[in-house]
Amino acid sequence: MQDLPPSPDGTVADAPTDNWVDRYAPAWTRPYLRLSRADRPIGTWLLLLPCWWGLALAVLYDQSPRWEDIWIFIGCGIGAWLMRGAGCTWNDITDRDYDAQVARTRSRPIPSGQVSVRQATAWMIVQALLAACILFTFNWSAISLGVLSLLLVTIYPFAKRFTWWPQVFLGLAFNWGALLVWTAHTGSLAAPAVLLYAAGIAWTLFYDTIYAHQDTEDDALIGVKSTARLFGKNTAHWLRRFLMATVGLMGLAVVFAAQPNASILAMVLALAGPWAMGWHMAWQLRGLDIENPAKCLRLFRANRDTGMIPLFFFGLALLA
């Protein structure tokens, strides 16, 4: 295990060197913003994009865009930032002993001593309450789903202690927005939303397995489980399966969403989304090197673009 001392200025080891938190945020706010991963925005995108997928397909499904959809769109962005921050803070609280033993994570605010557990807990509550203010502007069905998601957020940090598949729990939590936002628009769940949710889980298994390959050596030493450790040299084979599942399930979601009311042109345009997304995932596979942590991190971060691709085509379908 590589021995890297915490940075004297409090920067986190795997944050981009030019991130806005370290450059512009007031010094007293930086430990809290680092707890929220504000210096690493990729996680917010990965939480947000399934929400926007769900909204786009919901409008395609009922062909009834409304002014309130603008607020749902904006509220998703703010809520994703807040809930990702609250979830990451909770993760850091529960994982503080593990993080202190891993080279990449020991510079995080709690193990490095920038904040106490009590301060982190207070910050987590503030973020969750602000997110709740946004959630309560939606309909009661969406609110109920939002409250239910807290169970998944609570369980996730412990998953790597009892299962080789903690990425499944991350997928269940990170893609819940597809269900919630579909329901915020339509008032109830339907098959396309469930299929989209399943596609998102498969996508999460893809990108988070790549991400987990940064820590396989340290994870083995401290007994933390992951799909990266489980798959080992067979990772590329498993990632192809997740790629096919993502494309197939999202394609079915598009068909079920478009079939009732959308035009054939709209369906074709929307189906181009998962198809193009699959090609981007295939590009990642071609460049994968599980022995190169820096390359794994770059590929993981590329998944913001992966998730934007279907959203672009869903937008075109709505204009058709």
Side-chain angles (χ1 to χ4, degrees):
M1 184 162 35
Q2 186 181 3
D3 189 13
L4 295 174
S7 171
D9 62 0
T11 57
V12 178
D14 58 353
T17 55
D18 59 347
N19 73 82
W20 72 273
V21 172
D22 295 338
R23 296 180 65 187
Y24 304 117
W28 69 271
T29 67
R30 291 175 188 170
Y32 299 97
L33 292 171
R34 290 166 184 150
L35 275 174
S36 300
R37 308 289 197 274
D39 53 348
R40 286 154 286 169
I42 178 60
T44 299
W45 283 109
L46 297 176
L47 183 62
L48 173 60
L49 287 166
C51 300
W52 284 349
W53 296 347
L55 179 60
L57 287 193
V59 176
L60 188 68
Y61 176 74
D62 65 10
Q63 295 291 299
S64 298
R66 298 185 290 271
W67 284 111
E68 67 187 81
D69 292 333
I70 297 175
W71 166 243
I72 294 174
F73 183 89
I74 296 170
C76 285
I78 302 170
W81 192 90
L82 289 167
M83 280 309 298
R84 190 253 182 151
C88 288
T89 304
W90 170 241
N91 185 80
D92 281 9
I93 292 169
T94 59
D95 280 1
R96 59 190 183 275
D97 294 332
Y98 287 111
D99 286 346
Q101 301 176 64
V102 176
R104 186 179 59 84
T105 59
R106 66 177 54 142
S107 57
R108 287 178 177 175
I110 297 177
S112 65
Q114 297 177 55
V115 295
S116 67
V117 172
R118 178 174 294 184
Q119 289 171 319
T121 301
W123 177 233
M124 176 186 69
I125 293 170
V126 168
Q127 292 173 97
L129 289 175
L130 290 172
C133 292
I134 296 171
L135 177 65
F136 290 149
T137 66
F138 298 158
N139 59 51
W140 282 106
S141 296
I143 292 171
S144 298
L145 284 170
V147 173
L148 187 60
S149 72
L150 294 177
L151 179 62
L152 295 170
V153 175
T154 301
I155 292 173
Y156 166 66
F158 301 100
K160 57 182 169 288
R161 309 180 192 190
F162 63 81
T163 177
W164 287 101
W165 294 82
Q167 280 69 26
V168 171
F169 287 84
L170 181 67
L172 290 169
F174 254 55
N175 295 280
W176 195 259
L179 302 177
L180 190 156
V181 176
W182 174 284
T183 305
H185 173 83
T186 66
S188 62
L189 281 176
V194 177
L195 288 165
L196 187 64
Y197 180 53
I201 293 170
W203 179 44
T204 302
L205 280 161
F206 180 91
Y207 66 65
D208 205 58
T209 297
I210 295 174
Y211 181 80
H213 267 289
Q214 297 176 88
D215 300 324
T216 50
E217 181 181 344
D218 287 336
D219 287 349
L221 289 172
I222 63 178
V224 168
K225 299 178 175 67
S226 71
T227 49
R229 287 189 62 206
L230 178 65
F231 302 154
K233 299 296 184 181
N234 292 321
T235 290
H237 176 70
W238 279 93
L239 293 184
R240 288 188 192 95
R241 293 181 177 181
F242 300 145
L243 186 163
M244 291 187 289
T246 302
V247 173
L249 289 166
M250 188 179 288
L252 285 174
V254 168
V255 170
F256 277 84
Q259 188 274 329
N261 299 302
S263 67
I264 295 296
L265 175 59
M267 181 183 291
V268 170
L269 287 170
L271 282 171
W275 175 81
M277 181 182 185
W279 278 108
H280 197 271
M281 293 169 74
W283 166 79
Q284 292 182 56
L285 267 177
R286 287 195 296 272
L288 180 66
D289 179 359
I290 62 174
E291 304 297 335
N292 186 335
K295 185 65 175 291
C296 289
L297 181 59
R298 287 196 298 272
L299 290 176
F300 167 73
R301 288 174 176 165
N303 278 277
R304 181 202 64 175
D305 297 340
T306 310
M308 289 292 291
I309 289 169
L311 185 65
F312 170 77
F313 284 100
F314 294 167
L316 290 179
L318 293 176
L319 297 174

